[in-house]
Amino acid sequence: MTGLDWQDTDPTAYDPDKPLALLEKAAAAAEGERAKTAVSAIRSMLAAGADAGVMAVTRDFLKRTRLLTIGDLERLEGEACGNGTHSAERQAAGAEDAAERYDVKDGCTWWTRLTRDGPVPVMLATFAAEITEEVVLDDGAERTLTWRVGVTAQDGRSGEVCITPDQLGRPQMWAAKAAGTSALVMPGLAVADHLRVAVQSSSQAVIRKVVYTHTGWRRPEGRWVHLTASGALGADGLDASVTVDLGPLAGYALPDSPGLPGLRKAIRASLGMLTLASDAVMVPVLATVYRAPLPIAPDCSVWMFGRSGTFKTAITALGQQHFGSGMDAQHLPGNWTSTANSLEMQAYLLAHALYVVDDFSPDATKVDAQRRGTAADRLLRGSANQAGRGRLRPDGMPRPARPPRAQILTSAEDIPPGVESLRARLLVDEVKPGDISKVKLARAQRAAADGVFADAMAGYVVWLAGRYDANAGLPAALAAERLNLRDQAQSAGHPRFALNIASLALGWREWLAYATESGAITEDQRAAYWTRVWKALCDVGAEQERYRRDSDPAAVYLRSLGALVNSRRAYLADMSGQTPTDAGIWGWAEEVVGSEPVWRARGDLIGWTNGEDVYLEPEAAYKAARQFAEGAGVPFTCTKTKVQKELHERGLLASTQAEGRLTAKRTVGGQPNMNVVHLTARIFRTGGDL
């Protein structure tokens, strides 16, 4: 920055009626003189007592013209404040003067402008505004300061609007929203800046409060509490003075824990849900309920499916009503018709709570089905991996990650879409017609509406809060117990889905401990429940292999090729490219030409066979399988190399090349040294029995 002595400044050169005249002159100066002239102009403005509004406009001018940096301007302002007699002048024109030079008369906001001829009143707006409250919105990832601004127009109409501090300087965006069309901002270059200073300087006794916008565990004053819309529930009960604003998710509202007799009754009522259907149906559902408030991240979602009329939504709603009695089947928080972004954000805000996402139905259009499949993949995979999408602020800096933090339970009419890796993160649970007892369901629904299940959950949260206060290592202890349960599940013969079984079993383990300590059940009953629950989860876990096979890439590949050949939309030739033996089973159709039967190939050539072995053309077979699978609504996103690797790892390739390539070399169709995928005919015909 070019340096000048304060003796070089000329306060009389500054004209308050034309505040930017000196800077405009500097911008028009020769290249080598622009910065020096700009410094002199700003010092003259400061020496003459240019007010805050003028300096705000000056900042904008410098940003546009790049005469000086904002840092240069701030250093000049700092020099001005510390420069002898000028310091008093700046202070008089600064903060102390700000409030005195703005006033409200006849319902309008005015600014007293100082000119050579004396003070001149200038109308800024046809309304008066005041900041009535500072609200810090805390979503668990970051805090956002907002101001509640009360606006009263000249004609008496009034209202409030919530804005961020940077929006105060753009009154045309918020004034009319609060008080209507009569709330006008006058035209002028610096009017908005003056109005910002007027509002802020007149707002003295502003109350600041913190508003949480999420559920789950927080430690605001050295004690662990669980947040819901009703307040903060901790070891000492419900503190309703803590403000939690969940917006459309306000149904998440836990009451204070009831007295011991009522609590025991509520716990038994929750456990009584096991009688609504078989353990295979009810144990996983209740596992998500009891797992949800534990202070460790969820890692397994439950996907309940069955045809319409099986009461699956009603069952998931009973689980949801443990977290708020008003969230019945008609008021569930999530729906698969929502966008993926909306579902992800809700699952983030609903930390340590159950999040039921309803109505994954297959009767949507192809576009809707693809959108829902994408949303399901993002939500469920993000929940299992605890991974949120990366986002940037407008300035290019990264925003805090917001992974799904809720325990997810969903209802659907079909098995989940997606690839094998997604289904490995779920426990799929089928509800069949007649599984649910209608009489017992109606009784449970009445209890849920009366808040009985919410009472049981409130007691559970209070119990967990006491343990958390006493042991800050509770999350680590729970994680260690989950690994112990995983090892037990693996030993029981469920290695692939052991972690899913363990995660859900952990919720049951803690709930049964809580029920026992509360006196709702005895130690013998606890042991009986645990044996029953563990068996049910292991049995359901064993069923998961069947759902995994439906999305296994090697199985999809072989099944698709088999279906194409059987339907004569693809065929295999013999090793010379001619009609193979038993042509009918290799995609050929018999026709009668003249009086002679002739075999005709149908569809596209995908490989060759000698009767005992099959040699697939890698590109043609992969393309055909992928097109068929996607047309059948089965996601098939694996690359050709990935499919070959899956076949090899399962021992389904009959031979490969010695140098480690997953194809073999054969002479087929008259072409020597062709790369082929080598399978036995039995593997090809049976799909490898995957």
Side-chain angles (χ1 to χ4, degrees):
M1 181 179 70
T2 304
L4 287 174
D5 293 332
W6 278 98
Q7 288 77 7
D8 296 326
T9 63
D10 180 11
T12 62
Y14 171 67
D15 183 356
D17 293 329
K18 299 179 180 179
L20 296 181
L22 291 177
L23 284 175
E24 290 170 348
K25 182 179 179 182
E31 183 66 30
E33 297 294 322
R34 294 178 68 199
K36 181 178 179 180
T37 307
V39 170
S40 178
I42 292 173
R43 283 180 168 167
S44 296
M45 295 165 64
L46 293 170
D51 59 32
V54 170
M55 297 314 298
V57 175
T58 299
R59 283 174 173 263
D60 292 338
F61 185 85
L62 293 179
K63 288 179 181 179
R64 292 197 311 271
T65 61
R66 299 184 180 179
L67 281 172
L68 299 173
T69 68
I70 299 302
D72 291 338
L73 176 62
E74 291 174 350
R75 283 191 288 273
L76 288 169
E77 290 178 315
E79 290 176 11
C81 289
N83 184 54
T85 58
H86 177 70
S87 176
E89 297 174 4
R90 282 294 296 162
Q91 291 172 1
E96 183 180 335
D97 183 53
E100 297 179 357
R101 293 176 60 186
Y102 301 100
D103 196 9
V104 176
K105 298 178 182 177
D106 300 325
C108 300
T109 302
W110 295 79
W111 163 48
T112 300
R113 187 177 69 183
L114 302 179
T115 70
R116 293 176 179 176
D117 300 325
V120 176
V122 178
M123 182 186 289
L124 299 176
T126 63
F127 59 84
E130 182 181 11
I131 302 170
T132 60
E133 188 178 52
E134 282 189 335
V135 178
V136 178
L137 301 176
D138 187 331
D139 71 356
E142 58 185 345
R143 290 188 161 201
T144 303
L145 176 63
T146 62
W147 288 341
R148 188 173 298 279
V149 180
V151 180
T152 302
Q154 187 180 24
D155 61 3
R157 286 191 286 180
S158 63
E160 287 189 330
V161 64
C162 192
I163 63 173
T164 55
D166 63 299
Q167 293 173 328
L168 186 64
R170 300 191 292 275
Q172 66 276 12
M173 295 178 59
W174 50 263
K177 291 181 181 179
T181 57
S182 58
L184 300 178
V185 179
M186 296 296 104
L189 187 62
V191 167
D193 285 305
H194 281 296
L195 193 56
R196 170 180 56 81
V197 176
V199 173
Q200 201 166 342
S201 62
S202 65
S203 305
Q204 299 300 323
V206 180
I207 300 173
R208 170 177 284 211
K209 70 176 183 179
V210 176
V211 174
Y212 297 98
T213 61
H214 68 96
T215 66
W217 294 104
R218 293 296 296 265
R219 198 182 185 200
E221 296 180 0
R223 301 289 299 274
W224 286 103
V225 294
H226 191 281
L227 304 174
T228 67
S230 55
L233 190 57
D236 296 329
L238 180 66
D239 183 356
S241 67
V242 176
T243 304
V244 182
D245 184 0
L246 300 178
L249 299 173
Y252 284 83
L254 288 179
D256 203 349
S257 179
L260 205 54
L263 180 61
R264 290 169 176 168
K265 180 180 178 181
I267 294 171
R268 295 187 191 111
S270 179
L271 289 171
M273 283 182 58
L274 285 173
T275 65
L276 299 182
S278 67
D279 285 354
V281 173
M282 296 309 305
V283 166
V285 171
L286 285 171
T288 63
V289 175
Y290 304 153
R291 172 67 171 83
L294 298 184
I296 57 174
D299 47 18
C300 172
S301 302
V302 170
W303 183 284
M304 176 175 282
F305 80 97
R307 74 186 197 189
S308 181
T310 54
F311 301 105
K312 57 187 180 297
T313 296
I315 291 297
T316 59
L318 292 177
Q320 188 66 76
Q321 286 176 288
H322 280 72
F323 293 84
S325 59
M327 292 187 288
D328 57 22
Q330 286 72 47
H331 301 90
L332 292 172
N335 194 288
W336 288 111
T337 58
S338 300
T339 65
N341 286 344
S342 174
L343 293 169
E344 281 184 319
M345 180 53 71
Q346 287 187 334
Y348 167 76
L349 295 175
L350 297 174
H352 311 120
L354 183 66
Y355 181 38
V356 171
V357 189
D358 189 36
D359 197 27
F360 194 100
S361 56
D363 56 350
T365 65
K366 183 177 181 180
V367 173
D368 286 341
Q370 290 175 340
R371 180 184 58 77
R372 291 187 192 183
T374 299
D377 186 89
R378 275 176 49 180
L379 179 65
L380 300 172
R381 193 183 297 275
S383 176
N385 297 337
Q386 281 301 290
R389 290 196 308 140
R391 297 176 175 87
L392 297 179
R393 303 181 191 276
D395 61 3
M397 297 298 292
R399 292 184 182 276
R402 289 179 170 82
R405 301 187 293 173
Q407 173 64 58
I408 298 170
L409 170 64
T410 188
S411 65
E413 294 184 17
D414 201 354
I415 60 175
V419 295
E420 179 187 16
S421 60
L422 172 62
R423 295 185 185 176
R425 290 162 167 80
L426 305 172
L427 201 73
V428 182
D429 196 16
E430 184 177 9
V431 185
K432 298 176 182 177
D435 278 354
I436 308 296
S437 168
K438 296 181 183 180
V439 175
K440 293 179 180 179
L441 174 61
R443 188 181 307 129
Q445 288 173 326
R446 287 193 293 271
D450 290 340
V452 174
F453 296 155
D455 283 344
M457 183 55 63
Y460 187 36
V461 167
V462 169
W463 179 76
L464 287 171
R467 293 179 62 199
Y468 210 172
D469 286 338
N471 178 17
L474 178 62
L478 291 172
E481 179 59 26
R482 178 177 55 190
L483 293 179
N484 178 45
L485 292 170
R486 180 203 63 184
D487 293 343
Q488 293 181 41
Q490 288 176 336
S491 299
H494 309 287
R496 189 181 292 272
F497 295 95
L499 186 59
N500 293 351
I501 295 171
S503 181
L504 297 174
L506 181 65
W508 267 103
R509 177 185 177 278
E510 295 303 306
W511 181 271
L512 292 175
Y514 153 65
T516 305
E517 291 186 23
S518 300
I521 60 175
T522 65
E523 285 288 352
D524 288 344
Q525 288 173 319
R526 175 183 178 179
Y529 271 121
W530 177 250
T531 300
R532 179 179 173 183
V533 163
W534 183 254
K535 181 180 184 304
L537 288 174
C538 288
D539 288 347
V540 174
E543 285 292 307
Q544 303 306 300
E545 186 66 22
R546 173 165 59 94
Y547 303 118
R548 183 197 66 81
R549 287 197 301 266
D550 290 336
S551 58
D552 176 73
V556 172
Y557 177 76
L558 292 176
R559 285 200 305 266
S560 297
L561 293 179
L564 286 167
V565 169
N566 291 337
S567 61
R568 293 185 171 84
R569 284 180 279 174
Y571 73 96
L572 285 84
D574 70 3
M575 301 301 287
S576 63
Q578 303 302 313
T579 306
T581 304
D582 297 326
I585 67 173
W586 301 113
W588 296 65
E590 189 177 32
E591 298 178 357
V592 176
V593 179
S595 58
E596 297 293 328
V598 177
W599 289 99
R600 301 284 193 189
R602 292 288 185 264
D604 298 321
L605 175 68
I606 59 170
W608 303 266
T609 180
N610 58 12
E612 296 182 357
D613 293 280
V614 167
Y615 305 94
L616 298 174
E617 202 290 315
E619 297 289 348
Y622 173 77
K623 179 180 178 181
R626 180 163 185 168
Q627 288 179 344
F628 178 85
E630 291 178 350
V634 179
F636 188 62
T637 57
C638 287
T639 63
K640 177 184 64 177
T641 302
K642 173 67 174 175
V643 172
Q644 293 172 5
K645 184 177 179 181
E646 293 284 338
L647 293 169
H648 179 63
E649 289 177 350
R650 286 164 173 74
L652 301 178
L653 295 180
S655 69
T656 59
Q657 296 181 48
E659 57 268 27
R661 297 185 63 180
L662 299 180
T663 55
K665 291 282 190 181
R666 292 293 187 277
T667 298
V668 290
Q671 299 292 324
N673 293 322
M674 290 280 289
N675 286 319
V676 293
V677 176
H678 183 193
L679 307 168
T680 65
R682 185 188 66 81
I683 291 293
F684 182 83
R685 296 293 302 166
T686 63
D689 294 326
L690 292 171

